[in-house]
Amino acid sequence: MSSAISPQTRPRADFTVGAVGHRFLPAERSSLLSAITRTLQELADRRPCDLTRMELLVSVAEGADRLFIEAAAALGIAYTCVLPCSSACFEEDFDSSASIEHFHGLLAGAEAIVQPDSEHVDRVGGYLWASHYIVDRADVLVAVWDGAPANGPAGTGDSVTNAGARRIPIIWIPTDAPHEPVELIAASSRSD
């Protein structure tokens, strides 16, 4: 039920990191970006995995998603943008022309862009589809999250709950400083 807008030009990644996070973050984001960058590097070091053989699956919402993309790009990790609907539909979620321009710039740097096939998917259905797409394909899920229970379907808390139920390794980066990553489910506990 997905369509690739940009074909992948490289071999399948050896290791796929799913990334989810809140849109609304503290104003000071440099330490959060550093925590994300360190986490991605540490995941590569543990494998050991060449960073060019990793892939990040992430949406392109404002907030944490864009920090994940910035960190991945700085490390040379390819990223696939997972949209809940067409790019024209999704950009309606952004308040400023600068945010829309940033969104299109990030899409241009993506290895691939995927979205639901049907343009008639309702908004919540599209966000659920994107959340499941990311969780279903992740070798590990990294979540920039406040730790609160989900307040609805397809949000960060819901994605963490779904990954946990499937025993997918989860690394939680708290939205509050000092943003020290916590492994909620270790990689060795996943049963395939």
Side-chain angles (χ1 to χ4, degrees):
M1 179 168 169
S2 68
S3 67
I5 296 173
S6 298
Q8 289 193 336
T9 56
R10 65 185 178 89
R12 172 145 164 48
D14 291 337
F15 187 63
T16 301
V17 177
V20 296
H22 295 302
R23 286 183 184 214
F24 303 104
L25 300 172
E28 203 300 298
R29 297 180 181 196
S30 63
S31 62
L32 190 52
L33 177 60
S34 294
I36 292 169
T37 303
R38 277 193 327 274
T39 299
L40 294 176
Q41 182 66 60
E42 287 171 10
L43 285 169
D45 292 347
R46 276 193 224 169
R47 292 287 302 164
C49 176
D50 182 326
L51 289 168
T52 63
R53 299 291 294 156
M54 285 178 69
E55 175 186 33
L56 181 76
L57 294 178
V58 63
S59 191
V60 198
E62 294 168 323
D65 291 351
R66 295 183 183 188
L67 292 177
F68 275 112
I69 292 171
E70 187 177 333
L75 291 169
I77 299 170
Y79 63 92
T80 293
C81 294
V82 182
L83 307 183
C85 55
S86 70
S87 61
C89 165
F90 195 32
E91 72 182 36
E92 293 174 10
D93 285 0
F94 312 133
D95 292 332
S96 69
S97 57
S99 181
I100 293 169
E101 185 176 324
H102 188 214
F103 167 70
H104 285 287
L106 295 172
L107 289 180
E111 183 75 21
I113 302 167
V114 295
Q115 65 190 48
D117 285 333
S118 173
E119 287 298 317
H120 304 291
V121 173
D122 65 69
R123 208 144 189 85
V124 172
Y127 280 96
L128 277 170
W129 177 88
S131 172
H132 289 173
Y133 187 96
I134 291 168
V135 170
D136 289 348
R137 287 157 180 80
D139 293 310
V140 63
L141 183 72
V142 181
V144 172
W145 177 44
D146 61 10
N151 62 359
T156 304
D158 188 54
S159 296
V160 169
T161 298
N162 289 339
R166 296 187 52 216
R167 304 299 296 163
I168 294 170
I170 301 167
I171 298 175
W172 168 30
I173 301 174
T175 54
D176 291 331
H179 313 296
E180 287 303 317
V182 176
E183 271 189 80
L184 297 180
I185 298 178
S188 62
S189 65
R190 183 172 184 185
S191 59
D192 290 319

